[in-house]
């Protein structure tokens, strides 16, 4: 396995002269769950899209699994923001999930029985197997999110990039997503997710990238998820800070743990 | 003329048959490809392509001196295609949004086209006669060889649509995800748009620059109302487009100088209106019925709640009857009390003990408990 799953060097992205990301360096640990946090307009989505080659950077290099994105593409899965598509599009849940197989199918070839059974498996993993033939406009927000997640699972990748997978979902969906994330980690896959709810970062993720146009900090949650770093990123007004970063800095003050607290808690559940 | 005579005319009258076949073919192609334009919120694109094609027709005639359909269609296609490239280029390289870019290209190309056509008409040769019919179309000028051209070009476009179905679907639903799995989005977009260009230019002779976009948008909009499957929608839109072509040709053949193109568009628009009103689930009528059903159900529940409240005062007794007048007092300004009571009775939840006096049944008490006291429910 390569030492870093994703390597970003000197990345600068600008939209119409305004820099959205400025000189960002980043190393994402393979086999870990990494959260990207930061205020609105911090460039979190842009960072994901730059890694995926969806926006062209003004400067910088990006390597995924030690290769260019184009070369690593078949091993990368993407969960876009739920609101980025028209959910009134005339198609079914199964059809959307099958889109995850298009990349490996290549031109013209249609998904067949094999692809369909993989899509159903993925739907089962997110608890949506009963909705396979449902029209997508009839789904709740959380169900839409799980469909997108299933589509990424069908891609059978080693690196998963997710843009706000927990945004506006119900408790059941949140649990389902967390279960999937832990299963992916169990398999040794890498997950990078844009995340908004700061209070769940220490519980759900191993590593964190704190971003506000520049990279403020990145590394194990226990080390970088501190009040100080968050204050720098959010400019003093940190939502949900109480008892979150405090706990993390307390962990930092104690003798350095061999693993982040999340690992220790997650393991017995997974076995 | 009776309907029967009209249909026998369709079968045996050479001109009408030719026109109907041609307009049916272009209606089917425009309808099918129009689905993607409508779903991608590019309904204006068809209009822009059609208007952008006009200078191509004039230039093709000026350069070749021929007004053979293939020559003019080729000119129209090139100009329409260049027009859409302009739209893409403007959107990419400036901050102008797509709708404004479409508007710019549409009006500029159309203006240039009108200038060229005026120039062509002033020339003292006789051969140019009829170019201006491309503005509003003249289906009666369709010859069998034009129909064959429409059918072969349109058929080819539909074959390409079928081949790249999966790519076009992904492009239309989620282009960013498509790009992330390696779909060359720009090139696929260009291919799909080129197919739309073909669908439009083969219709210019019959329907005209000004109205052809209706034949792209209307069948797709109508078809969307009836189905939630993309493939069904495309087939249905193609069918509706063909139907509009045939019906429009037949109506205009009744005489009185009714033009074919506008009639086709009117028939297609009628399909939209009918679909908007009467389609199951998505139609206005279905929405109205659904809302009325919900209101009625809520009203029945309210009566159930009142009866339960009354029963609760008597230890949830199922024997103590309450006069309608009492219920009416509790249901101030809510109509349909009798109908609600009958609904409850038919569901076995309430019974009329004496004329005009009601009480809940055992089942009614149970139902009310689960509905209104969820915390007590088992």
């Amino acid at each position: 396995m390569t030492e870093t799953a994703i390597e970003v060097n000197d990345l600068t992205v600008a939209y119409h002269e305004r820099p959205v990301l400025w000189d960002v360096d980043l190393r994402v640990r393979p086999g870990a769950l990494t959260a990207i946090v930061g205020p609105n307009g911090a460039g979190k989505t842009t960072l994901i899209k730059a890694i995926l080659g969806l926006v062209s950077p003004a400067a910088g290099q990006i390597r995924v699994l030690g290769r260019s994105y184009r070369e690593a593409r078949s091993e990368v899965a993407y969960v876009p923001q739920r609101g980025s598509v028209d959910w009134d599009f005339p198609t079914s849940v199964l059809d959307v999930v099958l889109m995850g197989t298009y990349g490996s199918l290549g031109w013209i070839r249609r998904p067949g029985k094999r692809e369909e059974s993989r899509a159903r498996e993925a739907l089962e993993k997110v608890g949506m197997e009963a909705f396979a033939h449902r029209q997508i406009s009839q789904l709740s927000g959380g169900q839409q999110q799980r469909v997108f997640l299933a589509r990424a699972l069908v891609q059978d990748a080693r690196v998963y990039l997710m843009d706000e997978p927990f945004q506006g979902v119900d408790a059941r969906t949140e649990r389902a997503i967390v279960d999937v994330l832990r299963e992916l980690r169990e398999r040794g896959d890498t997950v990078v997710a844009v995340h908004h709810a700061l209070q769940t970062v220490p519980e759900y993720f191993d590593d964190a990238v704190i971003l506000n146009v520049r990279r403020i900090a990145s590394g194990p949650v226990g080390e970088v998820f501190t009040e100080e770093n968050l204050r720098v990123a959010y400019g003093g007004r940190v939502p949900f800070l109480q008892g979150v970063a405090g706990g993390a800095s307390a962990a930092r003050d104690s003798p350095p743990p061999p693993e982040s607290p999340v690992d220790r808690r997650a393991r017995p559940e997974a076995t | 003329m009776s309907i029967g005579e009209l249909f026998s005319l369709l079968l045996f009258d050479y001109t009408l048959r030719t026109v109907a076949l041609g307009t049916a073919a272009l209606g089917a192609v425009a309808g099918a490809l129009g689905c993607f334009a409508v779903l991608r919120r590019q309904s204006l694109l068809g209009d822009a392509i059609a208007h952008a094609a006009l200078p191509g027709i004039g230039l093709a005639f000026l350069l070749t001196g021929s007004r053979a359909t293939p020559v003019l269609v080729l000119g129209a296609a090139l100009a329409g295609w260049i027009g859409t490239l302009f739209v893409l280029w403007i959107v990419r390289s400036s901050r102008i949004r797509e709708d404004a870019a479409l508007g710019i290209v549409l009006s500029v190309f159309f203006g240039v086209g009108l200038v060229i056509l005026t120039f062509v008409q002033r020339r003292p040769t006789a051969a140019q006669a009829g170019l201006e019919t491309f503005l509003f179309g003249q289906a009666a000028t369709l010859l069998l060889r034009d129909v064959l051209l429409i059918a072969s070009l349109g058929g080819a476009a539909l074959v390409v649509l079928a081949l790249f179905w999966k790519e076009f679907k992904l492009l239309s639903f989620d282009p960013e995800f498509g790009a992330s799995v390696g779909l060359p989005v720009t090139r696929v977009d260009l291919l799909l748009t080129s197919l739309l260009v073909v669908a439009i230019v083969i219709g210019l002779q019959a329907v005209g620059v000004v109205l052809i976009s209706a034949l792209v948008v209307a069948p797709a909009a109508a078809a969307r109302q009836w189905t939630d499957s993309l493939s069904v929608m495309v087939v249905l839109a193609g069918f509706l487009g063909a139907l509009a072509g045939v019906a429009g040709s037949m109506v205009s053949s009744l005489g009185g100088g009714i033009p074919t193109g506008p009639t086709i568009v009117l028939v297609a628009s009628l399909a939209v209106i009918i679909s908007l009103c009467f389609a199951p689930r998505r139609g206005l009528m279905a929405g109205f019925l659904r809302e009325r059903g919900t209101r009625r159900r809520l009203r029945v529940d309210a009566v159930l709640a009142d009866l339960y409240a009354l029963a609760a005062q008597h230890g949830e007794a199922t024997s103590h009857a309450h006069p309608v007048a009492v219920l009416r007092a509790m249901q101030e300004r809510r109509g349909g009390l009798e109908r609600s009571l009958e609904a409850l009775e038919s569901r076995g939840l309430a019974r009329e003990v004496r004329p005009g006096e009601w009480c809940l049944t055992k089942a009614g008490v149970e139902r009310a408990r689960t509905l209104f006291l969820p915390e007590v429910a088992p």
Side-chain angles (χ1 to χ4, degrees):
Chain A
M1 188 179 276
T2 42
E3 269 174 53
T4 54
I6 300 170
E7 187 181 340
V8 175
N9 290 315
D10 311 321
L11 178 69
T12 296
V13 180
Y15 286 137
H16 299 301
E17 296 107 49
R18 196 171 61 87
V20 186
L21 288 175
W22 186 261
D23 201 20
V24 170
D25 292 300
L26 188 64
R27 267 150 204 52
V28 173
R29 193 154 58 94
L33 307 180
T34 300
I36 302 178
V37 297
N40 289 328
K44 306 184 293 287
T45 296
T46 307
L47 178 58
I48 294 262
K49 287 189 177 173
I51 296 170
L52 289 162
L54 298 179
V55 298
S56 38
Q61 298 93 39
I62 297 163
R63 310 288 283 174
V64 180
L65 299 169
R67 287 165 282 169
S68 75
Y69 178 72
R70 185 186 280 270
E71 290 162 331
R73 191 161 56 208
S74 62
E75 298 186 81
V76 182
Y78 174 39
V79 179
Q81 271 182 35
R82 181 157 52 85
S84 65
V85 302
D86 172 17
W87 287 95
D88 197 33
F89 195 86
T91 194
S92 69
V93 165
L94 188 65
D95 258 2
V96 172
V97 177
L98 278 171
M99 288 178 188
T101 67
Y102 285 12
S104 58
L105 277 174
W107 289 97
I108 297 174
R109 260 184 64 204
R110 304 277 177 88
K113 284 263 178 292
R114 215 166 60 93
E115 284 76 19
E116 198 181 310
S117 76
R118 275 173 54 206
R120 284 183 189 280
E121 241 170 71
L123 278 172
E124 212 169 301
K125 274 188 189 149
V126 298
M128 290 286 290
E129 65 274 22
F131 293 81
H133 296 289
R134 189 72 70 90
Q135 213 280 319
I136 55 170
S137 67
Q138 294 168 20
L139 301 177
S140 72
Q143 290 167 341
Q144 291 172 352
Q145 193 64 61
R146 279 186 274 160
V147 170
F148 263 11
L149 189 62
R151 183 176 69 174
L153 290 178
V154 165
Q155 290 183 267
D156 204 16
R158 287 173 57 203
V159 175
Y160 292 80
L161 296 167
M162 308 186 180
D163 201 345
E164 306 222 4
F166 294 103
Q167 179 65 37
V169 301
D170 51 289
R172 181 165 173 221
T173 300
E174 185 144 347
R175 260 197 318 280
I177 299 175
V178 169
D179 287 346
V180 167
L181 295 189
R182 290 186 176 154
E183 198 187 319
L184 290 174
R185 177 174 55 193
E186 200 74 2
R187 273 174 22 185
D189 294 337
T190 309
V191 178
V192 178
V194 172
H195 196 60
H196 243 122
L198 291 182
Q199 72 272 30
T200 48
V201 168
E203 190 189 338
Y204 294 167
F205 293 95
D206 310 319
D207 291 0
V209 177
I210 300 173
L211 195 73
N212 190 358
V213 184
R214 295 159 188 275
R215 191 208 68 196
I216 311 288
S218 70
V221 171
E223 285 171 28
V224 301
F225 209 64
T226 62
E227 197 170 329
E228 193 190 329
N229 282 338
L230 290 171
R231 221 175 270 289
V232 173
Y234 286 84
R237 288 179 308 154
V238 185
F240 320 114
L241 189 66
Q242 290 77 14
V244 177
S249 35
R252 189 179 50 164
D253 294 337
S254 60
E259 301 160 317
S260 79
V262 185
D263 286 337
R264 268 179 287 148
R265 193 167 45 227
R267 198 136 297 166
E269 277 175 45
T271 46
Chain B
M1 197 187 303
S2 77
I3 298 286
E5 278 175 297
L6 201 55
F7 273 101
S8 75
L9 210 58
L10 183 66
L11 285 177
F12 301 114
D13 181 276
Y14 182 78
T15 312
L16 177 58
R17 200 175 59 198
T18 309
V19 169
L21 271 178
T23 52
L26 74 91
V29 177
L33 284 160
C35 291
F36 289 90
V38 167
L39 289 173
R40 300 177 68 203
R41 300 172 195 277
Q42 289 184 327
S43 301
L44 248 180
L45 185 61
D47 216 16
I49 292 171
H51 284 74
L54 193 62
I57 294 168
L59 282 177
F61 174 73
L62 274 181
L63 292 177
T64 64
S66 152
R67 62 170 311 258
T69 317
V71 173
L72 300 186
V73 163
L74 184 67
L78 281 177
W81 203 63
I82 290 169
T84 59
L85 288 185
F86 260 111
V87 173
L88 287 178
W89 176 73
I90 291 174
V91 171
R92 283 199 161 196
S93 57
S94 74
R95 290 197 190 192
I96 296 172
R97 284 175 202 271
E98 189 171 22
D99 58 337
L102 286 168
I104 292 167
V105 166
L106 182 152
S107 47
V108 169
F109 275 67
F110 189 57
V112 172
L114 285 181
V115 169
I116 293 175
L117 283 199
T118 313
F119 174 72
V120 167
Q121 270 169 332
R122 295 234 173 103
R123 292 198 335 161
T125 47
Q128 85 279 14
L131 275 196
E132 71 281 357
T133 59
F134 278 91
L135 266 186
F136 297 107
Q138 199 164 25
T141 62
L142 284 181
L143 304 174
L144 184 62
R145 61 165 192 266
D146 299 331
V147 174
L148 291 177
L149 184 74
I150 290 173
S152 51
L153 283 178
L158 291 184
V159 167
V160 176
L161 174 65
L163 277 179
F164 293 98
W165 178 263
K166 151 173 138 278
E167 285 75 17
F168 291 151
K169 185 177 183 175
L170 184 54
L171 173 78
S172 306
F173 176 64
D174 196 347
E176 288 212 315
F177 178 80
S180 84
V181 299
L183 187 77
V185 170
T186 315
R187 268 180 285 164
V188 176
D189 192 349
L190 213 55
L191 179 63
L192 183 55
T193 309
S194 305
L195 296 185
L196 192 62
V197 170
V198 171
I200 284 167
V201 295
I202 60 176
L204 291 182
Q205 190 187 352
V207 181
V209 162
V210 178
L211 284 177
I212 185 71
S213 76
L215 214 48
V216 171
V217 177
R224 178 68 188 95
Q225 301 301 313
W226 299 92
T227 176
D228 280 329
S229 148
L230 181 63
S231 42
V232 175
M233 178 182 169
V234 168
V235 171
L236 187 58
F239 174 75
L240 286 176
L243 195 70
V246 174
S249 308
M250 283 166 75
V251 170
S252 71
S253 77
L254 291 173
I258 306 172
T260 312
T263 314
I264 294 171
V265 170
L266 281 180
V267 173
S269 309
L270 194 67
V272 174
I273 293 171
I274 292 173
S275 306
L276 277 180
C277 291
F278 301 111
R281 295 212 301 104
R282 295 179 76 92
L284 293 174
M285 193 72 167
F288 171 76
L289 289 177
R290 205 162 39 228
E291 198 173 308
R292 202 178 61 169
T294 311
R295 223 176 297 152
R296 202 173 277 172
R297 236 183 348 267
L298 288 176
R299 225 164 23 213
V300 171
D301 282 351
V303 174
L304 181 66
D306 289 344
L307 276 171
Y308 180 69
L310 291 172
Q313 293 172 359
H314 301 272
E316 295 189 354
T318 51
S319 54
H320 200 94
H322 307 281
V324 171
V326 174
L327 288 165
R328 181 155 293 128
M330 297 172 79
Q331 296 266 316
E332 204 180 355
R333 284 201 302 274
R334 248 188 245 136
L337 179 58
E338 273 81 9
R339 199 157 44 175
S340 299
L341 284 168
E342 275 160 30
L344 285 174
E345 186 175 31
S346 70
R347 284 159 62 192
L349 300 180
R351 62 194 173 93
E352 191 166 20
V353 183
R354 283 175 294 278
E357 290 188 27
W358 292 76
C359 76
L360 287 179
T361 61
K362 268 208 158 53
V365 171
E366 283 306 310
R367 175 89 188 130
R369 270 193 187 159
T370 55
L371 266 185
F372 309 118
L373 303 171
E375 66 274 19
V376 204

